[in-house]
Amino acid sequence: MADPFACALNGIEMLDVRLGDTVVIIGSGPIGCWQAVMARDRGASKVFLTDVNRQRLDVALRAVGSFVDDSWVAGDDNGVAAAMERTEGRGPERVIVAAPSKQAQQAALEMAAKRARVVYFAGLPKHDPVAALDMNQLHYKELAILGAYGATHRQYRITMDYLERRRDELASVVTHRFPLDRIDEAFNTIRSGSGLKVVIVQ
């Protein structure tokens, strides 16, 4: 669990959450869940979580709902209207895209507040990596857009301490454990989307 968590930490550090910021996390998988916890720990006043999948979002909220102020299923506008409504039309100061989706990448630009910071944590499929993004959103709102990938040695060291201190909250993201002789069932659980983090144990 240390490796993906360290990568999630890298994304949050790139996002540079400040005390009082409103943060929207697009994508409620394990990474998005861990980033919700870290955003709150770094002083975010509001943390919102959104996903296109209601079932996945519900599972995520059972795991880290105490760190999330509100959540919504992204609709036809990919969740932009919901984000604007919850920020009184200003938009969030920090947006992180933890889902491999072109629509989510564009939605992040549309919902972001003026001079906000947007981090693209999840990459796109290698066979289709080019997205059409509205550069006027970048220009006129003076957005800072960054990518985040991997983690540093320092972030791995922080991760080990963080996992120890936040063991109960972070472990809740592991929703299923299977012995090796039930690995087929584990893969079926992953494909179904009914869990977050699925691990194989001896």
Side-chain angles (χ1 to χ4, degrees):
M1 199 162 80
D3 182 70
F5 186 88
C7 296
L9 171 62
N10 180 44
I12 282 292
E13 290 195 339
M14 295 289 280
L15 194 63
D16 190 27
V17 178
R18 304 164 303 181
L19 192 67
D21 279 343
T22 295
V23 177
V24 170
I25 300 166
I26 303 177
S28 64
I31 296 294
C33 288
W34 286 329
Q35 288 173 337
V37 176
M38 287 186 277
R40 181 67 79 194
D41 281 349
R42 288 175 68 94
S45 63
K46 297 286 185 183
V47 176
F48 298 127
L49 188 61
T50 179
D51 201 294
V52 296
N53 186 311
R54 173 83 263 175
Q55 180 185 18
R56 191 172 182 82
L57 185 58
D58 287 343
V59 173
L61 292 173
R62 287 197 292 272
V64 297
S66 62
F67 297 90
V68 175
D69 292 280
D70 202 354
S71 63
W72 60 88
V73 176
D76 292 339
D77 71 341
N78 298 298
V80 174
M84 301 308 290
E85 178 184 352
R86 287 160 175 79
T87 56
E88 299 179 342
R90 295 186 302 272
E93 291 87 8
R94 297 291 186 265
V95 185
I96 189 162
V97 182
S101 163
K102 296 179 182 182
Q103 293 82 4
Q105 290 180 346
Q106 174 60 30
L109 302 184
E110 293 178 17
M111 69 175 63
K114 186 174 176 62
R115 296 189 175 179
R117 179 173 287 232
V118 177
V119 170
Y120 292 152
F121 180 86
L124 296 174
K126 291 184 178 180
H127 69 275
D128 187 23
V130 179
L133 301 175
D134 183 353
M135 289 297 99
N136 278 345
Q137 296 284 341
L138 166 66
H139 174 70
Y140 288 110
K141 292 201 288 188
E142 301 178 297
L143 302 178
I145 303 175
L146 300 168
Y149 172 78
T152 65
H153 291 298
R154 169 189 155 276
Q155 287 165 338
Y156 277 103
R157 290 195 300 271
I158 293 172
T159 289
M160 300 313 294
D161 176 65
Y162 209 106
L163 289 174
E164 180 63 29
R165 288 188 294 108
R166 282 285 197 190
R167 178 182 300 177
D168 293 340
E169 298 94 334
L170 300 175
S172 64
V173 174
V174 179
T175 54
H176 294 78
R177 294 173 174 82
F178 293 96
L180 187 57
D181 61 1
R182 293 172 59 196
I183 193 168
D184 288 343
E185 188 177 347
F187 280 117
N188 288 335
T189 300
I190 293 170
R191 294 187 193 101
S192 73
S194 61
L196 291 174
K197 196 72 174 173
V198 177
V199 299
I200 304 298
V201 296
Q202 292 285 4

